[in-house]
Amino acid sequence: MVKRKAEKQQAAAPMSAVAARKARQQQAQNQTPKNDADVEIVTEPPSKKPRRSVEAIEAKDNTSGPETRGPRTRSSKKQDAAVSTETAKGHQRRTTRSKKLESPQPDPQSQDESEKEESNKHQVDGPEDMTEDEVASVAGEADGYESPADTSTEIQNFPLSKVRLGKSNIVYTDESNLCVSIKEKMNMALLGQYDLWVKRGVISLMGAKLHPSKKSYRVYAPSTHSLPVIKCVAGVDGEAEVELKSCNNGLARLRDISPLYQKIWNGQNSAADKVTLKGAAKDSRRSYSVLYTSADDPLKRHLRPLHLDKKWSASMKALSQRQGSLRVLVCGPKASGKSTFSRYLLNHVLSPAPETENGYINTDGVAFLDLDPGQPEFAPMGQVYLAHLKAPFFGPPFTHPSLDGSRDGQIVRAHYIGATSPKEDPDHYATATMDLLEQYRSLLARYPQCPLIVNYPGWIFGQGLEVATWLVGCLGLSDVVYMSEKGPYEVVEPLSLAANKARVPMTILPSQPTEFVSRSSAQLRSMQIQSYFHQSHPAALGNPLWSDTPLSRTRPIAVKYAGEKQGIAGIMVMGSQINPEMIREVIEGAIVAVVEVNSPDALWGVSSSAQRQSGSDDHDDFEEDGDVEMDSDQPIEQTASSTEDLGVRSPENLPYLFAGSGSCTPLDPKTSNCLGLALVRSVNVGSQNLELSTPIISSRISDALEQGRSIVLVRGPLDNPNWAISEEYHAARAAERRYQQLVSRSKKNGDDQAENQATQKHTLSLLRERIRRASNVPWMTVVEDHSRQQREAAARREKSLWKLRKKAYPGSESETDW
């Protein structure tokens, strides 16, 4: 006790200020690591700062609209650029929605060092690599069921292929082709684009069973969707033999005009590719890559194989046994897998089997009634349509955005809703659906054994449920498929009662959504409509082609909108009351539907008001017939038109069709048909021409006018074509990148001579001048950010994915999928 008391007194003895400071420093140095760790990991309370989405952060930083991060403007290895392509109306809508979306902030310490190095490496690679800001450029258009999330810690190594390529199963191989044998119950997954030819045995692919034939099938397997799996179902001596061939259709080059198309196809050769390309040139690359696991992907993306639930497979098999009497309605909540099930069922019914057990062969094709205007399968957004298909399709919707000129199918009839949801105008939606049902009945007169698949949207509450139950009662269905085992009860019960009343069996299947995706629904819609405008169907080829030329560099079609020979009967605007003086601002730079009208009754209130003004019931003056020339140098014209009586004229003399107080009544679906979409490039007041860019085959418009039908342009409340505004900028950046790579290769080869340096410098200055001009356009702002913090944040967010959530009904957690 005495000793301890002495020690305490000695410790309390006075010391100099220097000695005291050294003692404190020594004590702090010994205790800091442990205390810091404790505070950081255990004792520090969670941050109370509200979590915001990437879109919300961008909206705050740039009051003129969200930013789209683009390629670097001066040197693709050192700088970042941002492109904003948002109008004032779109910005207000995005800003409002961004306040509702919440997402966790990415934690810089959640990535290990290897992931950071990989992210930085991808960012330095050039404009071909997309930053998360580019992915989030249209985040404001996503619905409330999606939000961006940092999922770097959740990305796992998933097995993709059971087949391991080697001498035992490689039949032959070269720089383009790869022929392999697959044993029964074995599968193989590929990333990219390829032509598939079944030489021996039977394989399954995206719901279809493919038998040996002379026909090859084009397969699109981007990283935006789960990868399709090639599986051997039956084989000769227990093996099937398939040939894979590279294809070059231009779709991959769309990455040069849109960041949404970047990093979605195969990158560098995988381990399996190196085995099959032995003996080929060093720089040999196919348009596809065989992957054993998701870790084989050089870009380390979130890849998953697409395996169907056993109940899905059993249901498809049972439904296909109904053969020509199949009439099935597929419905369910949002993000439950309705489109995937419909696509796989379609392929399954269209499987070109030589003969089934009962001798039935499907020669009449399949009718596909797509009632989902937000995510249509074979048409751009905003439409409902009836398609007659004769062959399976392998790929997501943006790989077949239209069927014009396709040998595998055609659009029988389409109606422009003008919105991504039927709830904008339920009456018009129901009327359009009734007309499509009449078209299907007419189709049955020519193809009596043509099954029907109806894809219904996720609009299953309120009026949507009423329309669904009405369809069950009037379609003459054979089956109803509901894509959710979790209800809700208030939806399932009315559907079950309607099915029982119509004596139609109802099947309830588990929803099978993809939890994480690399593109939101709005981004996929932008990709689909951009693909639509850049696609063509050459008559001599069985597969479509795509062009990476920006729309601003293509020759528009000139259409007369006034005068003695005008090419359009009028212009309509759906969903809003527009002053005639503002009609030019509304349609210029907007996407419109090109609708053919075969009767003045299609204009409903417009035609009746015109009759009252003219005092005549004669409709002959509405019919037009004249010569039509689709050459871009000659405007489209038609004769004998009195459309001045069908509405009002704007100050630019534009024929604005309206009814009542200024709102446009939708066209009558019974006497109208949507031919496709067009982009209004400009309104030339001097020549009274509309300059349009459209992928519609010119003969369709010519035939419509020659048959006395009228052409009406309809503007709906769809998203503005921001992708079209920034195409030239991204194309200019891609041209600069390609030239810099060419100069770099010439230096490595020793071709960097003094006389070439001046030429190279001049060419680079011209390319950068093109970039400068492309960045100086309306509704787009290029913002450069050279900071290291911004580059690291972009690389960190590059791994972010969209996390899908679905609710069975507002306020319910019974159908939430995290």
Side-chain angles (χ1 to χ4, degrees):
M1 295 292 297
V2 177
K3 184 178 181 181
R4 290 183 181 179
K5 184 176 181 181
E7 289 177 353
K8 291 182 180 181
Q9 291 177 352
Q10 184 177 0
M15 63 176 66
S16 64
V18 177
R21 184 168 63 251
K22 288 183 178 180
R24 288 194 300 268
Q25 291 176 352
Q26 184 66 27
Q27 182 179 4
Q29 185 176 0
N30 294 335
Q31 296 180 359
T32 295
K34 181 177 180 180
N35 293 340
D36 288 348
D38 291 341
V39 171
E40 180 180 356
I41 299 176
V42 180
T43 61
E44 183 178 356
S47 174
K48 299 298 182 181
K49 185 178 180 180
R51 297 176 175 177
R52 298 175 297 168
S53 63
V54 175
E55 175 204 353
I57 298 174
E58 293 174 349
K60 180 179 179 181
D61 294 339
N62 184 5
T63 56
S64 62
E67 300 175 355
T68 303
R69 299 297 178 190
R72 293 164 282 278
T73 54
R74 296 181 182 176
S75 171
S76 61
K77 295 185 178 180
K78 294 182 178 180
Q79 299 179 0
D80 294 324
V83 183
S84 174
T85 60
E86 189 62 41
T87 59
K89 180 179 179 180
H91 166 64
Q92 184 178 3
R93 180 173 62 254
R94 292 179 181 219
T95 306
T96 303
R97 292 184 179 180
S98 65
K99 295 178 180 178
K100 300 180 180 180
L101 293 176
E102 294 185 351
S103 65
Q105 295 292 328
D107 184 5
Q109 297 185 359
S110 63
Q111 293 180 319
D112 55 20
E113 294 300 327
S114 61
E115 289 176 334
K116 291 182 179 180
E117 292 175 1
E118 188 68 27
S119 300
N120 294 334
K121 176 183 177 182
H122 291 165
Q123 185 170 354
V124 175
D125 284 342
E128 201 170 292
D129 300 327
M130 179 172 56
T131 65
E132 175 62 23
D133 298 273
E134 292 171 332
V135 177
S137 61
V138 290
E141 305 301 331
D143 55 33
Y145 294 90
E146 297 175 355
S147 62
D150 181 25
T151 60
S152 59
T153 58
E154 301 185 37
I155 295 180
Q156 302 175 6
N157 185 18
F158 267 68
L160 301 176
S161 303
K162 292 183 179 179
V163 175
R164 294 281 174 170
L165 299 182
K167 294 182 180 179
S168 60
N169 51 16
I170 297 179
V171 181
Y172 56 84
T173 178
D174 55 33
E175 295 183 358
S176 177
N177 302 323
L178 173 62
C179 183
V180 298
S181 60
I182 306 175
K183 294 182 179 181
E184 291 184 6
K185 298 183 179 180
M186 301 296 286
N187 57 44
M188 183 172 63
L190 293 87
L191 176 67
Q193 309 173 45
Y194 54 93
D195 289 329
L196 175 68
W197 176 31
V198 181
K199 302 180 65 177
R200 189 178 62 175
V202 182
I203 68 166
S204 66
L205 176 66
M206 295 186 69
K209 288 187 178 180
L210 305 181
H211 294 253
S213 65
K214 297 181 180 179
K215 182 179 181 179
S216 62
Y217 300 90
R218 180 65 54 86
V219 182
Y220 304 91
S223 63
T224 54
H225 295 70
S226 299
L227 300 182
V229 177
I230 303 173
K231 184 178 180 180
C232 176
V233 178
V236 180
D237 298 330
E239 291 183 347
E241 189 173 308
V242 298
E243 181 187 87
L244 310 169
K245 184 177 182 179
S246 290
C247 58
N248 184 16
N249 51 25
L251 181 57
R253 291 197 296 271
L254 293 186
R255 65 176 180 269
D256 289 342
I257 59 175
S258 172
L260 292 176
Y261 278 95
Q262 293 175 2
K263 293 172 59 178
I264 67 172
W265 304 108
N266 59 314
Q268 300 176 356
N269 291 330
S270 63
D273 296 333
K274 294 177 182 178
V275 173
T276 59
L277 286 173
K278 281 186 177 179
K282 248 185 178 182
D283 56 347
S284 297
R285 285 183 59 188
R286 302 190 182 104
S287 63
Y288 58 90
S289 294
V290 181
L291 301 177
Y292 298 143
T293 66
S294 56
D296 294 338
D297 178 28
L299 301 180
K300 304 301 179 186
R301 288 166 290 189
H302 190 84
L303 302 180
R304 294 291 183 271
L306 185 50
H307 294 295
L308 297 185
D309 188 276
K310 292 182 179 180
K311 293 184 179 180
W312 281 34
S313 301
S315 178
M316 289 181 187
K317 186 176 180 180
L319 292 173
S320 62
Q321 291 177 354
R322 299 190 182 278
Q323 303 170 4
S325 62
L326 176 65
R327 312 281 190 272
V328 57
L329 171 68
V330 182
C331 57
K334 288 185 178 182
S336 59
K338 299 182 300 297
S339 299
T340 302
F341 182 85
S342 300
R343 186 184 308 129
Y344 273 61
L345 178 60
L346 173 68
N347 289 342
H348 192 74
V349 178
L350 284 172
S351 296
E355 185 175 352
T356 58
E357 296 178 358
N358 54 7
Y360 169 76
I361 302 177
N362 183 0
T363 58
D364 289 351
V366 175
F368 188 77
L369 180 56
D370 198 341
L371 301 179
D372 187 356
Q375 294 178 326
E377 185 72 25
F378 299 102
M381 61 180 176
Q383 300 183 53
V384 292
Y385 60 90
L386 175 67
H388 184 214
L389 307 173
K390 300 179 180 179
F393 288 80
F394 304 106
F398 69 80
T399 63
H400 45 253
S402 69
L403 296 177
D404 292 338
S406 175
R407 300 176 183 177
D408 297 331
Q410 62 178 345
I411 300 293
V412 178
R413 197 174 185 88
H415 296 302
Y416 187 65
I417 302 300
T420 58
S421 174
K423 62 184 178 182
E424 299 294 336
D425 192 345
D427 295 336
H428 183 215
Y429 177 78
T431 308
T433 301
M434 293 174 63
D435 178 71
L436 295 178
L437 295 179
E438 291 296 329
Q439 296 298 323
Y440 172 67
R441 295 186 179 98
S442 301
L443 186 67
L444 283 178
R446 291 175 290 168
Y447 303 97
Q449 294 297 318
C450 181
L452 174 66
I453 299 176
V454 183
N455 180 34
Y456 193 72
W459 184 47
I460 58 172
F461 307 102
Q463 280 188 308
L465 181 59
E466 295 178 5
V467 174
T469 53
W470 169 73
L471 289 175
V472 172
C474 70
L475 273 178
L477 297 173
S478 64
D479 294 271
V480 176
V481 176
Y482 185 76
M483 304 297 299
S484 175
E485 290 183 336
K486 299 180 180 180
Y489 176 78
E490 52 267 36
V491 172
V492 176
E493 183 187 20
L495 284 176
S496 301
L497 292 176
N500 291 334
K501 184 177 180 180
R503 296 182 180 181
V504 178
M506 180 173 173
T507 304
I508 298 179
L509 297 177
S511 59
Q512 189 178 340
T514 302
E515 185 179 4
F516 293 103
V517 293
S518 59
R519 301 292 186 273
S520 68
S521 298
Q523 291 168 344
L524 291 176
R525 287 195 295 266
S526 296
M527 295 175 68
Q528 185 175 6
I529 197 168
Q530 189 171 19
S531 172
Y532 170 79
F533 274 93
H534 288 270
Q535 186 187 45
S536 61
H537 294 269
L541 299 178
N543 294 304
L545 297 178
W546 282 267
S547 171
D548 61 342
T549 303
L551 292 184
S552 60
R553 289 181 172 264
T554 59
R555 300 179 66 181
I557 298 175
V559 183
K560 293 285 290 184
Y561 66 80
E564 296 180 357
K565 297 180 179 180
Q566 67 180 57
I568 60 172
I571 301 170
M572 301 183 67
V573 180
M574 299 172 58
S576 302
Q577 295 184 4
I578 302 298
N579 190 302
E581 297 180 356
M582 299 294 296
I583 188 65
R584 177 181 179 181
E585 284 75 11
V586 171
I587 68 168
E588 198 166 38
I591 292 178
V592 296
V594 181
V595 183
E596 61 175 350
V597 179
N598 56 16
S599 170
D601 294 336
L603 298 177
W604 284 350
V606 177
S607 59
S608 60
S609 63
Q611 295 167 15
R612 289 192 299 268
Q613 292 175 7
S614 61
S616 173
D617 294 333
D618 186 9
H619 301 312
D620 294 338
D621 57 354
F622 183 81
E623 298 181 357
E624 300 127 345
D625 50 7
D627 297 332
V628 179
E629 298 183 10
M630 295 302 296
D631 182 51
S632 58
D633 295 333
Q634 299 292 332
I636 299 177
E637 299 176 349
Q638 63 185 38
T639 60
S641 174
S642 62
T643 57
E644 296 181 1
D645 296 334
L646 297 178
V648 296
R649 290 281 176 172
S650 70
E652 297 83 12
N653 209 22
L654 290 167
Y656 179 35
L657 306 181
F658 76 102
S661 61
S663 60
C664 288
T665 303
L667 295 172
D668 186 2
K670 294 182 180 180
T671 55
S672 63
N673 179 35
C674 180
L675 301 179
L677 302 182
L679 176 64
V680 182
R681 297 267 295 267
S682 64
V683 178
N684 193 327
V685 181
S687 61
Q688 295 190 334
N689 287 337
L690 289 177
E691 294 186 353
L692 305 177
S693 292
T694 177
I696 303 175
I697 299 176
S698 59
S699 60
R700 295 193 64 187
I701 301 179
S702 302
D703 294 343
L705 295 178
E706 289 174 357
Q707 294 172 7
R709 300 173 183 173
S710 300
I711 299 296
V712 176
L713 302 183
V714 182
R715 167 78 157 95
L718 289 178
D719 305 334
N720 292 314
N722 300 330
W723 50 268
I725 298 174
S726 60
E727 279 186 350
E728 173 61 19
Y729 173 79
H730 292 297
R733 295 307 313 277
E736 181 200 28
R737 173 178 56 84
R738 287 193 297 268
Y739 186 76
Q740 287 181 341
Q741 292 175 348
L742 179 63
V743 172
S744 178
R745 284 195 298 267
S746 65
K747 289 182 179 180
K748 291 182 179 179
N749 297 332
D751 300 333
D752 187 18
Q753 301 177 359
E755 56 270 18
N756 293 335
Q757 293 182 0
T759 304
Q760 294 172 1
K761 187 175 181 180
H762 177 68
T763 304
L764 278 176
S765 63
L766 293 178
L767 292 174
R768 288 166 181 167
E769 175 62 20
R770 177 187 173 186
I771 296 174
R772 188 195 64 79
R773 292 196 306 268
S775 61
N776 187 23
V777 296
W779 302 297
M780 186 177 79
T781 304
V782 178
V783 181
E784 298 182 4
D785 193 340
H786 305 227
S787 65
R788 178 182 176 183
Q789 181 181 3
Q790 177 63 27
R791 292 197 301 269
E792 291 179 352
R796 192 166 57 246
R797 277 175 286 185
E798 184 179 352
K799 295 182 179 293
S800 296
L801 302 173
W802 286 90
K803 199 168 189 178
L804 299 185
R805 297 176 295 168
K806 67 178 187 302
K807 292 183 179 180
Y809 58 92
S812 170
E813 298 296 334
S814 62
E815 193 66 15
T816 303
D817 186 4
W818 292 96

